[in-house]
């Protein structure tokens, strides 16, 4: 196998090779060339007794055009669930879905990536108390309006490093609450084009496992129209160069970011980052442990009517002076948490906050 390395930044870029028979070198690895299946390191006697399973269909259940259907307690393996823009009132509860989608190519954020994983479109649909894991792109795509994702465990996806979150959410009047979302090659939660929605009481962690610039909660080019990001635990970025906690990238406006707790963000990134232009964003009552700044990149005119109030940050607020700010506790003042080492960020009775 010959690899041309000229365009790869080896200091920060993680990559792997796949899709060729010459790379078979470990027991139980396989390669399929559309005609013949090759298995490595399995002796003939074992192979005679082996059961080989293969994916038969993309979707185990297609609910396009359906309404008022409840799916409860089913397991989906190497297949997924699909809805469309006319789907209404579907409830998916207590489902365990694994290996929900696979592609041998990085789609680079193309429309086709939206078909990876469980696909929720339409109106007034709900995913409740489900576990979803393992996909080359997103594990769950939630579009449409008035849909809900509640109390789910979403983990270990996007191994092809597409521009997808483990959960990719957009649309209007959506609700994402009380979920655990973790172990993402890129973002655990992508909320680009999410409007008039609520993201609350989620535990979101361990992002950037294979990329160098991302956030654990990430949006760009989005008018949030009052979307609230609130009461979340956001922690553990592994991005090699620029990993942030909550990251509202260029051209985000009308977000309310409040009462989040953020920790374990590398020194190269920011716990809470707003890039310019950032207009009409309100950032208040957030708690940030140990170092790290509240930072934006850009010029003084790029932050019209953006406010920072009542935040606790171990670092500084590195935004232009045109950003309204007040009553923030920044580096140099100990906020006196009850037990920061155990991530108990309640304030002691004598806290200055």
């Amino acid at each position: 196998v010959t690899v041309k390395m000229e365009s790869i930044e080896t200091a920060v870029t993680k990559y792997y090779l796949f899709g060729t028979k010459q790379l078979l070198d470990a027991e139980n690895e396989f390669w399929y060339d559309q005609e013949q299946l090759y298995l490595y390191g399995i002796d003939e006697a074992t192979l005679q007794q082996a059961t080989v399973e293969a994916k038969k269909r993309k979707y185990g259940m297609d609910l396009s055009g359906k309404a008022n259907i409840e799916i409860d307690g089913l397991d989906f393996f190497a297949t997924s669930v699909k809805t469309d823009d006319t789907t209404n009132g579907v409830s998916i509860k207590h489902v365990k879905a694994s290996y929900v989608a696979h592609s041998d190519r990085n789609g680079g954020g193309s429309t086709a990536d939206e078909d990876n994983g469980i696909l929720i479109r339409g109106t007034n649909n709900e995913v409740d108390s489900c576990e979803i894991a393992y996909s080359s792109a997103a594990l769950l795509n939630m579009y449409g309006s008035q849909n809900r994702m509640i109390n789910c465990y979403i983990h270990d996806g996007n191994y092809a490093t597409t521009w997808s979150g483990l959960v990719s959410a957009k649309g209007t009047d959506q609700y994402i609450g009380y979920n655990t979302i973790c172990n993402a090659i890129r973002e655990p939660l992508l909320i680009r084009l999410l409007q008039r929605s609520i993201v609350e009481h989620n535990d979101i962690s361990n992002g950037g496992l294979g990329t160098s610039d991302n956030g654990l909660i990430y949006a760009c080019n989005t008018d949030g129209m009052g979307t609230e990001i609130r009461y979340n635990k956001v922690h553990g970025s592994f991005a090699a160069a620029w990993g942030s906690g909550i990251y509202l990238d260029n051209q985000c406006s009308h977000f309310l970011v409040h009462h989040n707790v953020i920790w374990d963000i590398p020194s190269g990134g920011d716990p809470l980052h707003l890039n310019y232009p950032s207009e009409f964003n309100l950032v208040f009552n957030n708690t940030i442990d140990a170092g790290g700044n509240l930072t934006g990149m850009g010029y003084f005119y790029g932050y019209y009517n953006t406010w920072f109030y009542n935040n606790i940050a171990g670092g500084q607020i590195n935004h232009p002076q045109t950003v309204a700010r007040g009553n923030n506790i920044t580096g140099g003042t100990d906020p006196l948490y009850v037990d920061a080492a155990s991530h108990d960020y309640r304030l002691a009775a004598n806290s200055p906050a």
Side-chain angles (χ1 to χ4, degrees):
V1 177
T2 301
V3 181
K4 187 176 182 180
M5 304 292 287
E6 294 176 0
S7 62
I8 297 178
E9 300 176 21
T10 55
V12 297
T13 301
K14 299 177 181 179
Y15 61 91
Y16 61 93
L17 305 174
F18 64 100
T20 178
K21 187 173 69 172
Q22 289 87 339
L23 294 173
L24 293 175
D25 60 1
E27 187 173 348
N28 293 325
E29 287 187 342
F30 70 91
W31 182 72
Y32 181 56
D33 68 354
Q34 306 302 318
E35 294 182 357
Q36 187 169 351
L37 177 65
Y38 295 84
L39 298 173
Y40 187 91
I42 302 177
D43 62 75
E44 185 174 351
T46 302
L47 188 59
Q48 291 296 328
Q49 302 297 319
T51 299
V52 177
E53 297 179 325
K55 185 181 181 76
K56 179 72 173 180
R57 58 187 61 84
K58 189 171 184 179
Y59 298 110
M61 192 168 290
D62 187 347
L63 300 173
S64 299
K66 306 300 182 182
N68 303 319
I69 293 176
E70 181 173 320
I71 303 169
D72 194 336
L74 298 183
D75 288 353
F76 291 84
F77 182 82
T79 190
S80 186
V81 178
K82 178 184 180 182
T83 60
D84 69 5
D85 292 339
T86 64
T87 303
N88 176 265
V90 165
S91 174
I92 302 174
K93 295 183 178 180
H94 310 111
V95 160
K96 183 175 182 180
S98 54
Y99 300 97
V100 289
H102 171 73
S103 172
D104 61 0
R105 294 292 182 268
N106 182 331
S110 68
T111 303
D113 291 336
E114 299 179 359
D115 293 330
N116 276 312
I118 291 178
L119 181 59
I120 301 299
R121 292 185 179 272
T123 306
N124 195 32
N125 302 298
E126 182 175 88
V127 181
D128 182 2
S129 302
C130 296
E131 179 180 356
I132 308 171
Y134 315 126
S135 171
S136 61
L139 293 164
L140 175 68
N141 297 282
M142 189 168 75
Y143 308 143
S145 64
Q146 301 178 46
N147 298 307
R148 300 169 298 281
M149 184 182 73
I150 304 170
N151 196 37
C152 292
Y153 178 33
I154 313 291
H155 62 96
D156 297 284
N158 195 16
Y159 54 77
T161 323
T162 67
W163 197 31
S164 301
L166 296 185
V167 175
S168 292
K170 63 183 179 182
T172 59
D173 303 302
Q174 312 276 46
Y175 181 82
I176 301 171
Y178 299 91
N179 305 285
T180 296
I181 308 172
C182 61
N183 303 338
I185 295 296
R186 194 173 172 91
E187 286 85 21
L189 178 58
L190 176 65
I191 56 171
R192 182 173 180 265
L193 304 181
L194 185 68
Q195 300 177 318
R196 295 200 313 262
S197 298
I198 294 175
V199 178
E200 69 173 3
H201 294 289
N202 300 286
D203 190 318
I204 299 175
S205 66
N206 296 352
L209 292 168
T211 51
S212 59
D213 181 359
N214 56 266
L216 300 178
I217 300 176
Y218 179 85
C220 66
N221 305 319
T222 299
D223 180 350
M225 293 186 177
T227 290
E228 292 191 54
I229 304 171
R230 65 192 191 190
Y231 303 107
N232 299 287
K233 297 177 181 178
V234 181
H235 55 102
S237 174
F238 292 87
W242 192 272
S244 295
I246 299 174
Y247 191 171
L248 301 183
D249 210 344
N250 305 102
Q251 298 177 330
C252 284
S253 61
H254 300 102
F255 281 89
L256 286 76
V257 182
H258 63 93
H259 293 94
N260 301 284
V261 182
I262 307 171
W263 73 92
D264 194 18
I265 304 300
S267 58
D270 292 318
L272 205 160
H273 186 90
L274 275 63
N275 261 351
Y276 83 108
S278 173
E279 300 181 344
F280 298 97
N281 292 310
L282 306 182
V283 180
F284 57 92
N285 293 101
N286 297 285
T287 299
I288 297 169
D289 181 34
N293 301 312
L294 307 182
T295 302
M297 299 177 65
Y299 303 99
F300 70 92
Y301 54 77
Y303 292 90
Y304 181 73
N305 215 15
T306 287
W307 295 10
F308 282 79
Y309 280 87
N310 300 329
N311 300 285
I312 300 175
Q316 302 298 320
I317 299 178
N318 292 334
H319 281 277
Q321 292 301 317
T322 51
V323 172
R325 66 189 75 187
N327 203 34
N328 298 289
I329 292 179
T330 55
T333 301
D334 188 346
L336 298 178
Y337 298 124
V338 170
D339 186 2
S342 299
H343 308 301
D344 183 347
Y345 296 111
R346 292 175 300 165
L347 298 174
N350 58 339
S351 170

